[in-house]
PDB file of all heavy atoms in Angstrom:
ATOM      1  N   HIS R1427     -39.826   7.592  58.991  1.00  0.00           N
ATOM      2  CA  HIS R1427     -38.733   7.323  58.057  1.00  0.00           C
ATOM      3  C   HIS R1427     -38.910   5.973  57.374  1.00  0.00           C
ATOM      4  O   HIS R1427     -38.716   5.864  56.158  1.00  0.00           O
ATOM      5  CB  HIS R1427     -37.382   7.423  58.769  1.00  0.00           C
ATOM      6  CG  HIS R1427     -37.008   8.822  59.111  1.00  0.00           C
ATOM      7  ND1 HIS R1427     -35.869   9.143  59.805  1.00  0.00           N
ATOM      8  CD2 HIS R1427     -37.621  10.011  58.867  1.00  0.00           C
ATOM      9  CE1 HIS R1427     -35.788  10.450  59.958  1.00  0.00           C
ATOM     10  NE2 HIS R1427     -36.860  10.994  59.410  1.00  0.00           N
ATOM     11  N   VAL R1428     -39.296   4.960  58.126  1.00  0.00           N
ATOM     12  CA  VAL R1428     -39.534   3.641  57.532  1.00  0.00           C
ATOM     13  C   VAL R1428     -40.671   3.735  56.510  1.00  0.00           C
ATOM     14  O   VAL R1428     -40.558   3.231  55.385  1.00  0.00           O
ATOM     15  CB  VAL R1428     -39.838   2.584  58.614  1.00  0.00           C
ATOM     16  CG1 VAL R1428     -40.367   1.293  57.992  1.00  0.00           C
ATOM     17  CG2 VAL R1428     -38.587   2.300  59.444  1.00  0.00           C
ATOM     18  N   ASP R1429     -41.777   4.401  56.878  1.00  0.00           N
ATOM     19  CA  ASP R1429     -42.896   4.570  55.948  1.00  0.00           C
ATOM     20  C   ASP R1429     -42.479   5.358  54.709  1.00  0.00           C
ATOM     21  O   ASP R1429     -43.047   5.170  53.632  1.00  0.00           O
ATOM     22  CB  ASP R1429     -44.076   5.274  56.626  1.00  0.00           C
ATOM     23  CG  ASP R1429     -44.819   4.371  57.601  1.00  0.00           C
ATOM     24  OD1 ASP R1429     -44.559   3.141  57.625  1.00  0.00           O
ATOM     25  OD2 ASP R1429     -45.657   4.898  58.366  1.00  0.00           O
ATOM     26  N   GLY R1430     -41.467   6.233  54.860  1.00  0.00           N
ATOM     27  CA  GLY R1430     -40.965   7.015  53.735  1.00  0.00           C
ATOM     28  C   GLY R1430     -39.933   6.293  52.891  1.00  0.00           C
ATOM     29  O   GLY R1430     -39.385   6.869  51.956  1.00  0.00           O
ATOM     30  N   GLY R1431     -39.627   5.041  53.220  1.00  0.00           N
ATOM     31  CA  GLY R1431     -38.713   4.257  52.402  1.00  0.00           C
ATOM     32  C   GLY R1431     -37.266   4.245  52.866  1.00  0.00           C
ATOM     33  O   GLY R1431     -36.380   3.842  52.112  1.00  0.00           O
ATOM     34  N   VAL R1432     -37.013   4.679  54.091  1.00  0.00           N
ATOM     35  CA  VAL R1432     -35.651   4.676  54.634  1.00  0.00           C
ATOM     36  C   VAL R1432     -35.476   3.427  55.495  1.00  0.00           C
ATOM     37  O   VAL R1432     -36.202   3.268  56.486  1.00  0.00           O
ATOM     38  CB  VAL R1432     -35.386   5.945  55.474  1.00  0.00           C
ATOM     39  CG1 VAL R1432     -34.001   5.894  56.109  1.00  0.00           C
ATOM     40  CG2 VAL R1432     -35.547   7.192  54.632  1.00  0.00           C
ATOM     41  N   PRO R1433     -34.525   2.552  55.147  1.00  0.00           N
ATOM     42  CA  PRO R1433     -34.257   1.425  56.035  1.00  0.00           C
ATOM     43  C   PRO R1433     -33.687   1.941  57.362  1.00  0.00           C
ATOM     44  O   PRO R1433     -32.801   2.793  57.368  1.00  0.00           O
ATOM     45  CB  PRO R1433     -33.191   0.612  55.285  1.00  0.00           C
ATOM     46  CG  PRO R1433     -33.308   1.052  53.853  1.00  0.00           C
ATOM     47  CD  PRO R1433     -33.742   2.491  53.914  1.00  0.00           C
ATOM     48  N   VAL R1434     -34.208   1.439  58.469  1.00  0.00           N
ATOM     49  CA  VAL R1434     -33.774   1.887  59.793  1.00  0.00           C
ATOM     50  C   VAL R1434     -33.420   0.668  60.635  1.00  0.00           C
ATOM     51  O   VAL R1434     -34.239  -0.228  60.809  1.00  0.00           O
ATOM     52  CB  VAL R1434     -34.867   2.717  60.509  1.00  0.00           C
ATOM     53  CG1 VAL R1434     -34.415   3.110  61.909  1.00  0.00           C
ATOM     54  CG2 VAL R1434     -35.234   3.950  59.701  1.00  0.00           C
ATOM     55  N   ALA R1435     -32.196   0.671  61.149  1.00  0.00           N
ATOM     56  CA  ALA R1435     -31.766  -0.331  62.124  1.00  0.00           C
ATOM     57  C   ALA R1435     -31.795   0.343  63.485  1.00  0.00           C
ATOM     58  O   ALA R1435     -31.337   1.482  63.622  1.00  0.00           O
ATOM     59  CB  ALA R1435     -30.361  -0.816  61.805  1.00  0.00           C
ATOM     60  N   GLN R1436     -32.330  -0.339  64.467  1.00  0.00           N
ATOM     61  CA  GLN R1436     -32.410   0.234  65.808  1.00  0.00           C
ATOM     62  C   GLN R1436     -31.573  -0.597  66.773  1.00  0.00           C
ATOM     63  O   GLN R1436     -31.692  -1.820  66.802  1.00  0.00           O
ATOM     64  CB  GLN R1436     -33.854   0.268  66.293  1.00  0.00           C
ATOM     65  CG  GLN R1436     -34.737   1.183  65.464  1.00  0.00           C
ATOM     66  CD  GLN R1436     -36.112   1.297  66.047  1.00  0.00           C
ATOM     67  OE1 GLN R1436     -36.313   1.964  67.054  1.00  0.00           O
ATOM     68  NE2 GLN R1436     -37.075   0.638  65.427  1.00  0.00           N
ATOM     69  N   LEU R1437     -30.728   0.087  67.518  1.00  0.00           N
ATOM     70  CA  LEU R1437     -29.936  -0.550  68.559  1.00  0.00           C
ATOM     71  C   LEU R1437     -30.373   0.043  69.879  1.00  0.00           C
ATOM     72  O   LEU R1437     -30.288   1.257  70.080  1.00  0.00           O
ATOM     73  CB  LEU R1437     -28.441  -0.303  68.340  1.00  0.00           C
ATOM     74  CG  LEU R1437     -27.512  -0.811  69.440  1.00  0.00           C
ATOM     75  CD1 LEU R1437     -27.579  -2.329  69.546  1.00  0.00           C
ATOM     76  CD2 LEU R1437     -26.092  -0.347  69.181  1.00  0.00           C
ATOM     77  N   SER R1438     -30.853  -0.807  70.765  1.00  0.00           N
ATOM     78  CA  SER R1438     -31.297  -0.358  72.076  1.00  0.00           C
ATOM     79  C   SER R1438     -30.335  -0.890  73.125  1.00  0.00           C
ATOM     80  O   SER R1438     -30.062  -2.090  73.180  1.00  0.00           O
ATOM     81  CB  SER R1438     -32.714  -0.872  72.345  1.00  0.00           C
ATOM     82  OG  SER R1438     -33.139  -0.453  73.608  1.00  0.00           O
ATOM     83  N   VAL R1439     -29.829   0.010  73.937  1.00  0.00           N
ATOM     84  CA  VAL R1439     -28.907  -0.324  75.016  1.00  0.00           C
ATOM     85  C   VAL R1439     -29.664  -0.118  76.323  1.00  0.00           C
ATOM     86  O   VAL R1439     -30.444   0.835  76.447  1.00  0.00           O
ATOM     87  CB  VAL R1439     -27.653   0.580  74.936  1.00  0.00           C
ATOM     88  CG1 VAL R1439     -26.715   0.327  76.090  1.00  0.00           C
ATOM     89  CG2 VAL R1439     -26.938   0.371  73.600  1.00  0.00           C
ATOM     90  N   PRO R1440     -29.467  -1.002  77.318  1.00  0.00           N
ATOM     91  CA  PRO R1440     -30.263  -0.898  78.543  1.00  0.00           C
ATOM     92  C   PRO R1440     -30.179   0.447  79.263  1.00  0.00           C
ATOM     93  O   PRO R1440     -31.200   0.997  79.644  1.00  0.00           O
ATOM     94  CB  PRO R1440     -29.726  -2.022  79.433  1.00  0.00           C
ATOM     95  CG  PRO R1440     -29.150  -3.004  78.473  1.00  0.00           C
ATOM     96  CD  PRO R1440     -28.614  -2.193  77.325  1.00  0.00           C
ATOM     97  N   THR R1441     -28.967   0.971  79.452  1.00  0.00           N
ATOM     98  CA  THR R1441     -28.837   2.201  80.236  1.00  0.00           C
ATOM     99  C   THR R1441     -27.836   3.159  79.616  1.00  0.00           C
ATOM    100  O   THR R1441     -26.856   2.737  78.998  1.00  0.00           O
ATOM    101  CB  THR R1441     -28.375   1.905  81.680  1.00  0.00           C
ATOM    102  OG1 THR R1441     -27.155   1.158  81.623  1.00  0.00           O
ATOM    103  CG2 THR R1441     -29.416   1.131  82.453  1.00  0.00           C
ATOM    104  N   LEU R1442     -28.107   4.444  79.769  1.00  0.00           N
ATOM    105  CA  LEU R1442     -27.180   5.476  79.315  1.00  0.00           C
ATOM    106  C   LEU R1442     -26.212   5.748  80.464  1.00  0.00           C
ATOM    107  O   LEU R1442     -26.385   6.664  81.259  1.00  0.00           O
ATOM    108  CB  LEU R1442     -27.931   6.746  78.904  1.00  0.00           C
ATOM    109  CG  LEU R1442     -27.096   7.945  78.468  1.00  0.00           C
ATOM    110  CD1 LEU R1442     -26.086   7.556  77.395  1.00  0.00           C
ATOM    111  CD2 LEU R1442     -27.985   9.058  77.972  1.00  0.00           C
ATOM    112  N   ASP R1443     -25.210   4.893  80.558  1.00  0.00           N
ATOM    113  CA  ASP R1443     -24.166   5.026  81.566  1.00  0.00           C
ATOM    114  C   ASP R1443     -22.896   4.407  80.980  1.00  0.00           C
ATOM    115  O   ASP R1443     -22.871   4.021  79.810  1.00  0.00           O
ATOM    116  CB  ASP R1443     -24.576   4.364  82.891  1.00  0.00           C
ATOM    117  CG  ASP R1443     -24.898   2.878  82.768  1.00  0.00           C
ATOM    118  OD1 ASP R1443     -24.619   2.265  81.708  1.00  0.00           O
ATOM    119  OD2 ASP R1443     -25.428   2.309  83.733  1.00  0.00           O
ATOM    120  N   ALA R1444     -21.849   4.312  81.796  1.00  0.00           N
ATOM    121  CA  ALA R1444     -20.569   3.795  81.301  1.00  0.00           C
ATOM    122  C   ALA R1444     -20.713   2.380  80.745  1.00  0.00           C
ATOM    123  O   ALA R1444     -20.152   2.052  79.691  1.00  0.00           O
ATOM    124  CB  ALA R1444     -19.526   3.842  82.405  1.00  0.00           C
ATOM    125  N   ARG R1445     -21.471   1.549  81.414  1.00  0.00           N
ATOM    126  CA  ARG R1445     -21.652   0.163  80.956  1.00  0.00           C
ATOM    127  C   ARG R1445     -22.399   0.118  79.615  1.00  0.00           C
ATOM    128  O   ARG R1445     -22.027  -0.611  78.702  1.00  0.00           O
ATOM    129  CB  ARG R1445     -22.387  -0.639  82.021  1.00  0.00           C
ATOM    130  CG  ARG R1445     -22.503  -2.101  81.691  1.00  0.00           C
ATOM    131  CD  ARG R1445     -23.271  -2.843  82.811  1.00  0.00           C
ATOM    132  NE  ARG R1445     -23.166  -4.254  82.611  1.00  0.00           N
ATOM    133  CZ  ARG R1445     -22.312  -5.045  83.245  1.00  0.00           C
ATOM    134  NH1 ARG R1445     -21.499  -4.548  84.150  1.00  0.00           N
ATOM    135  NH2 ARG R1445     -22.288  -6.337  82.999  1.00  0.00           N
ATOM    136  N   GLY R1446     -23.463   0.899  79.508  1.00  0.00           N
ATOM    137  CA  GLY R1446     -24.233   0.934  78.265  1.00  0.00           C
ATOM    138  C   GLY R1446     -23.423   1.489  77.104  1.00  0.00           C
ATOM    139  O   GLY R1446     -23.467   0.962  75.984  1.00  0.00           O
ATOM    140  N   LEU R1447     -22.684   2.566  77.354  1.00  0.00           N
ATOM    141  CA  LEU R1447     -21.842   3.129  76.302  1.00  0.00           C
ATOM    142  C   LEU R1447     -20.731   2.159  75.907  1.00  0.00           C
ATOM    143  O   LEU R1447     -20.397   2.027  74.736  1.00  0.00           O
ATOM    144  CB  LEU R1447     -21.259   4.471  76.738  1.00  0.00           C
ATOM    145  CG  LEU R1447     -22.251   5.615  76.796  1.00  0.00           C
ATOM    146  CD1 LEU R1447     -21.604   6.857  77.398  1.00  0.00           C
ATOM    147  CD2 LEU R1447     -22.808   5.926  75.415  1.00  0.00           C
ATOM    148  N   GLY R1448     -20.164   1.471  76.899  1.00  0.00           N
ATOM    149  CA  GLY R1448     -19.136   0.468  76.602  1.00  0.00           C
ATOM    150  C   GLY R1448     -19.680  -0.640  75.715  1.00  0.00           C
ATOM    151  O   GLY R1448     -19.013  -1.085  74.776  1.00  0.00           O
ATOM    152  N   ALA R1449     -20.891  -1.088  76.003  1.00  0.00           N
ATOM    153  CA  ALA R1449     -21.525  -2.121  75.177  1.00  0.00           C
ATOM    154  C   ALA R1449     -21.744  -1.616  73.751  1.00  0.00           C
ATOM    155  O   ALA R1449     -21.511  -2.345  72.779  1.00  0.00           O
ATOM    156  CB  ALA R1449     -22.846  -2.558  75.802  1.00  0.00           C
ATOM    157  N   ALA R1450     -22.183  -0.368  73.614  1.00  0.00           N
ATOM    158  CA  ALA R1450     -22.400   0.203  72.280  1.00  0.00           C
ATOM    159  C   ALA R1450     -21.080   0.330  71.525  1.00  0.00           C
ATOM    160  O   ALA R1450     -21.011   0.030  70.327  1.00  0.00           O
ATOM    161  CB  ALA R1450     -23.099   1.556  72.392  1.00  0.00           C
ATOM    162  N   ILE R1451     -20.024   0.759  72.203  1.00  0.00           N
ATOM    163  CA  ILE R1451     -18.708   0.869  71.566  1.00  0.00           C
ATOM    164  C   ILE R1451     -18.247  -0.497  71.077  1.00  0.00           C
ATOM    165  O   ILE R1451     -17.817  -0.657  69.931  1.00  0.00           O
ATOM    166  CB  ILE R1451     -17.681   1.489  72.542  1.00  0.00           C
ATOM    167  CG1 ILE R1451     -17.975   2.976  72.726  1.00  0.00           C
ATOM    168  CG2 ILE R1451     -16.248   1.279  72.047  1.00  0.00           C
ATOM    169  CD1 ILE R1451     -17.216   3.631  73.872  1.00  0.00           C
ATOM    170  N   TYR R1452     -18.339  -1.497  71.930  1.00  0.00           N
ATOM    171  CA  TYR R1452     -17.929  -2.849  71.556  1.00  0.00           C
ATOM    172  C   TYR R1452     -18.735  -3.345  70.354  1.00  0.00           C
ATOM    173  O   TYR R1452     -18.191  -3.924  69.412  1.00  0.00           O
ATOM    174  CB  TYR R1452     -18.095  -3.790  72.751  1.00  0.00           C
ATOM    175  CG  TYR R1452     -17.623  -5.194  72.474  1.00  0.00           C
ATOM    176  CD1 TYR R1452     -16.264  -5.497  72.466  1.00  0.00           C
ATOM    177  CD2 TYR R1452     -18.529  -6.211  72.218  1.00  0.00           C
ATOM    178  CE1 TYR R1452     -15.824  -6.787  72.205  1.00  0.00           C
ATOM    179  CE2 TYR R1452     -18.106  -7.499  71.957  1.00  0.00           C
ATOM    180  CZ  TYR R1452     -16.751  -7.780  71.951  1.00  0.00           C
ATOM    181  OH  TYR R1452     -16.326  -9.055  71.681  1.00  0.00           O
ATOM    182  N   PHE R1453     -20.043  -3.124  70.390  1.00  0.00           N
ATOM    183  CA  PHE R1453     -20.911  -3.536  69.287  1.00  0.00           C
ATOM    184  C   PHE R1453     -20.469  -2.888  67.978  1.00  0.00           C
ATOM    185  O   PHE R1453     -20.275  -3.576  66.972  1.00  0.00           O
ATOM    186  CB  PHE R1453     -22.366  -3.173  69.603  1.00  0.00           C
ATOM    187  CG  PHE R1453     -23.301  -3.425  68.457  1.00  0.00           C
ATOM    188  CD1 PHE R1453     -23.790  -4.693  68.212  1.00  0.00           C
ATOM    189  CD2 PHE R1453     -23.681  -2.387  67.620  1.00  0.00           C
ATOM    190  CE1 PHE R1453     -24.645  -4.932  67.139  1.00  0.00           C
ATOM    191  CE2 PHE R1453     -24.537  -2.609  66.546  1.00  0.00           C
ATOM    192  CZ  PHE R1453     -25.019  -3.887  66.304  1.00  0.00           C
ATOM    193  N   PHE R1454     -20.304  -1.563  67.969  1.00  0.00           N
ATOM    194  CA  PHE R1454     -19.961  -0.875  66.726  1.00  0.00           C
ATOM    195  C   PHE R1454     -18.559  -1.232  66.239  1.00  0.00           C
ATOM    196  O   PHE R1454     -18.330  -1.333  65.031  1.00  0.00           O
ATOM    197  CB  PHE R1454     -20.122   0.640  66.874  1.00  0.00           C
ATOM    198  CG  PHE R1454     -21.560   1.079  66.866  1.00  0.00           C
ATOM    199  CD1 PHE R1454     -22.090   1.776  67.935  1.00  0.00           C
ATOM    200  CD2 PHE R1454     -22.390   0.792  65.794  1.00  0.00           C
ATOM    201  CE1 PHE R1454     -23.415   2.180  67.932  1.00  0.00           C
ATOM    202  CE2 PHE R1454     -23.722   1.190  65.779  1.00  0.00           C
ATOM    203  CZ  PHE R1454     -24.234   1.883  66.858  1.00  0.00           C
ATOM    204  N   GLU R1455     -17.608  -1.416  67.151  1.00  0.00           N
ATOM    205  CA  GLU R1455     -16.272  -1.830  66.722  1.00  0.00           C
ATOM    206  C   GLU R1455     -16.319  -3.205  66.058  1.00  0.00           C
ATOM    207  O   GLU R1455     -15.658  -3.431  65.039  1.00  0.00           O
ATOM    208  CB  GLU R1455     -15.303  -1.841  67.906  1.00  0.00           C
ATOM    209  CG  GLU R1455     -14.912  -0.447  68.349  1.00  0.00           C
ATOM    210  CD  GLU R1455     -14.010  -0.423  69.573  1.00  0.00           C
ATOM    211  OE1 GLU R1455     -13.980  -1.425  70.335  1.00  0.00           O
ATOM    212  OE2 GLU R1455     -13.332   0.599  69.772  1.00  0.00           O
ATOM    213  N   THR R1456     -17.103  -4.115  66.610  1.00  0.00           N
ATOM    214  CA  THR R1456     -17.238  -5.452  66.027  1.00  0.00           C
ATOM    215  C   THR R1456     -17.926  -5.389  64.670  1.00  0.00           C
ATOM    216  O   THR R1456     -17.469  -6.004  63.697  1.00  0.00           O
ATOM    217  CB  THR R1456     -18.015  -6.376  66.995  1.00  0.00           C
ATOM    218  OG1 THR R1456     -17.328  -6.408  68.251  1.00  0.00           O
ATOM    219  CG2 THR R1456     -18.125  -7.783  66.449  1.00  0.00           C
ATOM    220  N   VAL R1457     -19.016  -4.646  64.592  1.00  0.00           N
ATOM    221  CA  VAL R1457     -19.732  -4.490  63.323  1.00  0.00           C
ATOM    222  C   VAL R1457     -18.806  -3.895  62.260  1.00  0.00           C
ATOM    223  O   VAL R1457     -18.778  -4.351  61.115  1.00  0.00           O
ATOM    224  CB  VAL R1457     -20.985  -3.595  63.502  1.00  0.00           C
ATOM    225  CG1 VAL R1457     -21.541  -3.127  62.164  1.00  0.00           C
ATOM    226  CG2 VAL R1457     -22.043  -4.330  64.289  1.00  0.00           C
ATOM    227  N   CYS R1458     -18.026  -2.899  62.638  1.00  0.00           N
ATOM    228  CA  CYS R1458     -17.127  -2.240  61.702  1.00  0.00           C
ATOM    229  C   CYS R1458     -16.082  -3.221  61.168  1.00  0.00           C
ATOM    230  O   CYS R1458     -15.847  -3.294  59.961  1.00  0.00           O
ATOM    231  CB  CYS R1458     -16.452  -1.054  62.384  1.00  0.00           C
ATOM    232  SG  CYS R1458     -15.405  -0.093  61.267  1.00  0.00           S
ATOM    233  N   ALA R1459     -15.472  -3.983  62.050  1.00  0.00           N
ATOM    234  CA  ALA R1459     -14.448  -4.942  61.612  1.00  0.00           C
ATOM    235  C   ALA R1459     -15.052  -5.978  60.664  1.00  0.00           C
ATOM    236  O   ALA R1459     -14.503  -6.235  59.583  1.00  0.00           O
ATOM    237  CB  ALA R1459     -13.814  -5.621  62.824  1.00  0.00           C
ATOM    238  N   TYR R1460     -16.191  -6.557  61.029  1.00  0.00           N
ATOM    239  CA  TYR R1460     -16.824  -7.557  60.163  1.00  0.00           C
ATOM    240  C   TYR R1460     -17.250  -6.955  58.825  1.00  0.00           C
ATOM    241  O   TYR R1460     -17.112  -7.585  57.777  1.00  0.00           O
ATOM    242  CB  TYR R1460     -18.018  -8.212  60.857  1.00  0.00           C
ATOM    243  CG  TYR R1460     -17.618  -9.328  61.789  1.00  0.00           C
ATOM    244  CD1 TYR R1460     -17.766  -9.179  63.167  1.00  0.00           C
ATOM    245  CD2 TYR R1460     -17.090 -10.517  61.308  1.00  0.00           C
ATOM    246  CE1 TYR R1460     -17.398 -10.196  64.029  1.00  0.00           C
ATOM    247  CE2 TYR R1460     -16.720 -11.541  62.170  1.00  0.00           C
ATOM    248  CZ  TYR R1460     -16.869 -11.372  63.532  1.00  0.00           C
ATOM    249  OH  TYR R1460     -16.502 -12.370  64.385  1.00  0.00           O
ATOM    250  N   SER R1461     -17.772  -5.758  58.858  1.00  0.00           N
ATOM    251  CA  SER R1461     -18.191  -5.097  57.625  1.00  0.00           C
ATOM    252  C   SER R1461     -17.008  -4.919  56.680  1.00  0.00           C
ATOM    253  O   SER R1461     -17.113  -5.173  55.479  1.00  0.00           O
ATOM    254  CB  SER R1461     -18.833  -3.748  57.956  1.00  0.00           C
ATOM    255  OG  SER R1461     -19.277  -3.100  56.791  1.00  0.00           O
ATOM    256  N   CYS R1462     -15.883  -4.495  57.234  1.00  0.00           N
ATOM    257  CA  CYS R1462     -14.673  -4.330  56.414  1.00  0.00           C
ATOM    258  C   CYS R1462     -14.210  -5.672  55.858  1.00  0.00           C
ATOM    259  O   CYS R1462     -13.875  -5.774  54.667  1.00  0.00           O
ATOM    260  CB  CYS R1462     -13.554  -3.698  57.241  1.00  0.00           C
ATOM    261  SG  CYS R1462     -13.805  -1.957  57.601  1.00  0.00           S
ATOM    262  N   PHE R1463     -14.158  -6.690  56.699  1.00  0.00           N
ATOM    263  CA  PHE R1463     -13.710  -8.006  56.244  1.00  0.00           C
ATOM    264  C   PHE R1463     -14.607  -8.529  55.132  1.00  0.00           C
ATOM    265  O   PHE R1463     -14.121  -9.119  54.158  1.00  0.00           O
ATOM    266  CB  PHE R1463     -13.664  -8.996  57.409  1.00  0.00           C
ATOM    267  CG  PHE R1463     -12.602  -8.693  58.429  1.00  0.00           C
ATOM    268  CD1 PHE R1463     -12.847  -8.914  59.775  1.00  0.00           C
ATOM    269  CD2 PHE R1463     -11.364  -8.186  58.069  1.00  0.00           C
ATOM    270  CE1 PHE R1463     -11.882  -8.638  60.730  1.00  0.00           C
ATOM    271  CE2 PHE R1463     -10.382  -7.898  59.010  1.00  0.00           C
ATOM    272  CZ  PHE R1463     -10.648  -8.132  60.346  1.00  0.00           C
ATOM    273  N   LEU R1464     -15.921  -8.310  55.238  1.00  0.00           N
ATOM    274  CA  LEU R1464     -16.843  -8.744  54.190  1.00  0.00           C
ATOM    275  C   LEU R1464     -16.577  -8.045  52.860  1.00  0.00           C
ATOM    276  O   LEU R1464     -16.827  -8.594  51.798  1.00  0.00           O
ATOM    277  CB  LEU R1464     -18.296  -8.496  54.625  1.00  0.00           C
ATOM    278  CG  LEU R1464     -18.839  -9.441  55.690  1.00  0.00           C
ATOM    279  CD1 LEU R1464     -20.182  -8.944  56.215  1.00  0.00           C
ATOM    280  CD2 LEU R1464     -18.967 -10.859  55.139  1.00  0.00           C
TER     281      LEU R1464
END
């Protein structure tokens, strides 16, 4: 996809468990709020 011209952001979380999903949720909620404010 990158070679085809698609910008790709990668988010890697340590583990697929409650803690990892919680971290991903927190990350996306924060990104969403900042994106809106911008």
Side-chain angles (χ1 to χ4, degrees):
H1427 288 177
V1428 168
D1429 286 350
V1432 176
V1434 177
Q1436 295 186 75
L1437 174 64
S1438 179
V1439 176
T1441 55
L1442 177 51
D1443 59 11
R1445 185 181 190 99
L1447 288 173
I1451 288 168
Y1452 183 77
F1453 174 81
F1454 285 122
E1455 287 177 339
T1456 303
V1457 165
C1458 184
Y1460 278 111
S1461 181
C1462 288
F1463 292 143
L1464 287 170

